[in-house]
Amino acid sequence: MRVVIAPDKFAGTLSAVEAAQAIAQGWRRTSPHDDLVCIPIADGGPGFIDVIQVARGGRLLPVTVTGPFGDPTPCTLLMLDEGDRSDSRVGEYGGNRGSESTGITAYVESAQAVGLHLVPIDKRDPGVTTTYGVGELIGAAIDAGATKIVLGLGGSATNDGGAGLLAALGATALRGGEPAQQSMSGGGARLIDLASVDVEPARKRVVHVDLVAATDVDNPLLGIRGATAGFGPQKGADDAQVVTLDAALTHFSSLIGRGVDGKDPAVARGAGAAGGMGYALLALGATRASGIDTVLSAVGLADQIARSDLAITGEGSFDWQSLRGKAVTGVAATATQYARPCIVLAGRVAVGRREYAAAGVTEAFSVEDNEGSLEAALAYPAEGLAALAERVARTWARQ
């Protein structure tokens, strides 16, 4: 039996690589002779650069940028020369071998600069965190010669609609007739005070670069499904702050108006990704792509699943967000395309069978249920995931 193991990270406990290893370890206890293919994945959030580099190679460029609270934060850009076929890893997993594209593509992981993991739980405040550092990463990629920049958006601690990103690229603002760049780079709560915003300098900065916003969700910027209402609470926002921040983003987007294509980027799919960074990039003329589709294409998952009998994926919490363009549903959709079953091994499962079946998932199992409690699951995450894989393999490896 050939099994593809393609999990995302288990946030706060296991990286995608560690999760894949744990699942494989547990599976082999029951079925040591199965052919296991481990392909760690990401959906645009943390781990985005790691999985792309495994599949495509490239050169890591260290850059220090502004963190979510303004402190220096070390990051890396992945620089890939699309015209250089000397790297044997290019296309090793299917990737883009044979592509006619040339030039340098830079992969940017926004979570490295402004990720939620950088902010202690007791200091989380999406009203003051900034995306300025992501704009600096884009600028560094341009200065390094990138002709295309693919930005993985997800897992951010921010909710400023990408205002800081725009400011870092040269966008200006006024408040009471005075320059207000600091308000743009000071977090989402300060956007309500702006009187005008000029994004043209930022558009000129990126005019010769092909921008791609690889988003982990497809939510719009505003409203009940928007950046603030959907993801603000997990970043530290209470009910009152959700209302004020959504109002601030509404005001901010009204000042920017329509994008270079004449459309309102606030209502576009993916505008609400990473606290609204998707919106800022779309306002600059970026193309939106699914983060998980971007990764799956790079690692050649479709080809691997087509030659396998079963696909296994997973993440920390399999919940409603998972069904909005996250990694798990990306793997399930690929498995469905080739009529292969797909099972989910997650820390916890918070969606019903009907909902996950509609997304192409055959069965879902949780470490929490297998271990008896969430506390037990979190205490030894790798061991718990391996034990769950061992139990599931007793049934699935014999089908």
Side-chain angles (χ1 to χ4, degrees):
M1 184 174 184
R2 191 172 193 270
V3 182
V4 169
I5 300 174
D8 194 0
K9 66 187 178 303
F10 281 52
T13 57
L14 299 172
S15 68
V17 173
E18 292 168 336
Q21 292 172 342
I23 293 171
Q25 181 183 42
W27 195 274
R28 288 192 180 101
R29 293 173 189 164
T30 298
S31 303
H33 302 299
D34 283 356
D35 181 12
L36 306 183
V37 181
C38 291
I39 307 177
I41 59 172
D43 56 18
F48 179 69
I49 281 182
D50 292 339
V51 298
I52 295 293
Q53 189 190 30
V54 167
R56 301 291 307 279
R59 173 175 60 92
L60 292 176
L61 177 65
V63 182
T64 299
V65 301
T66 301
F69 290 121
D71 49 316
T73 301
C75 301
T76 54
L77 298 171
L78 175 60
M79 310 296 292
L80 185 66
D81 188 344
E82 301 287 3
D84 182 6
R85 299 301 176 196
S86 62
D87 190 333
S88 62
R89 288 176 294 179
V90 174
E92 180 181 350
Y93 298 99
N96 291 325
R97 182 180 290 273
S99 170
E100 295 300 324
S101 62
T102 59
I104 297 175
T105 297
Y107 288 89
V108 177
E109 184 178 311
S110 64
Q112 287 191 359
V114 298
L116 192 61
H117 65 281
L118 298 174
V119 182
I121 293 178
D122 60 346
K123 293 184 179 180
R124 290 179 181 176
D125 183 354
V128 300
T129 47
T130 178
T131 56
Y132 195 90
V134 181
E136 291 177 315
L137 284 174
I138 294 173
I142 294 173
D143 292 341
T147 55
K148 179 178 180 179
I149 302 176
V150 181
L151 297 104
L153 302 183
S156 81
T158 57
N159 201 99
D160 69 351
L165 179 157
L166 294 173
L169 291 173
T172 60
L174 295 176
R175 181 184 59 202
E178 298 295 327
Q181 271 75 5
Q182 289 187 346
S183 291
M184 284 190 66
S185 59
R190 300 183 66 177
L191 301 178
I192 197 69
D193 299 326
L194 299 179
S196 66
V197 176
D198 182 6
V199 298
E200 286 306 314
R203 287 173 177 162
K204 291 179 180 178
R205 181 81 167 99
V206 302
V207 69
H208 298 299
V209 180
D210 180 13
L211 288 178
V212 178
T215 71
D216 67 336
V217 295
D218 59 4
N219 301 64
L221 178 66
L222 308 170
I224 193 170
R225 291 186 52 247
T228 311
F231 309 104
Q234 70 188 38
K235 301 176 184 184
D238 57 23
D239 291 344
Q241 193 175 31
V242 166
V243 173
T244 58
L245 283 175
D246 192 59
L249 293 187
T250 300
H251 174 66
F252 179 63
S253 63
S254 72
L255 296 178
I256 291 180
R258 297 188 178 274
V260 294
D261 58 359
K263 299 178 181 179
D264 181 4
V267 301
R269 295 180 63 189
M277 266 190 282
Y279 167 77
L281 292 168
L282 292 170
L284 292 177
T287 300
R288 185 258 172 183
S290 162
I292 182 58
D293 287 349
T294 300
V295 171
L296 297 189
S297 175
V299 302
L301 188 74
D303 178 63
Q304 295 289 353
I305 287 180
R307 297 186 287 112
S308 298
D309 303 294
L310 172 67
I312 300 176
T313 185
E315 61 181 335
S317 179
F318 183 37
D319 54 28
W320 69 270
Q321 293 185 46
S322 308
L323 306 180
R324 303 299 307 181
K326 292 280 192 173
V328 165
T329 48
V331 176
T334 305
T336 299
Q337 179 183 352
Y338 293 96
R340 301 294 190 269
C342 177
I343 62 176
V344 172
L345 306 184
R348 60 189 294 268
V349 175
V351 291
R353 179 180 294 272
R354 179 179 298 177
E355 288 79 11
Y356 68 64
V361 175
T362 310
E363 284 193 274
F365 306 89
S366 78
V367 178
E368 179 182 10
D369 291 343
N370 199 54
E371 294 295 304
S373 69
L374 180 61
E375 291 73 19
L378 292 174
Y380 300 99
E383 292 84 348
L385 183 57
L388 177 62
E390 179 182 3
R391 181 174 72 82
V392 172
R394 295 190 188 111
T395 300
W396 276 93
R398 290 172 171 79
Q399 291 193 3

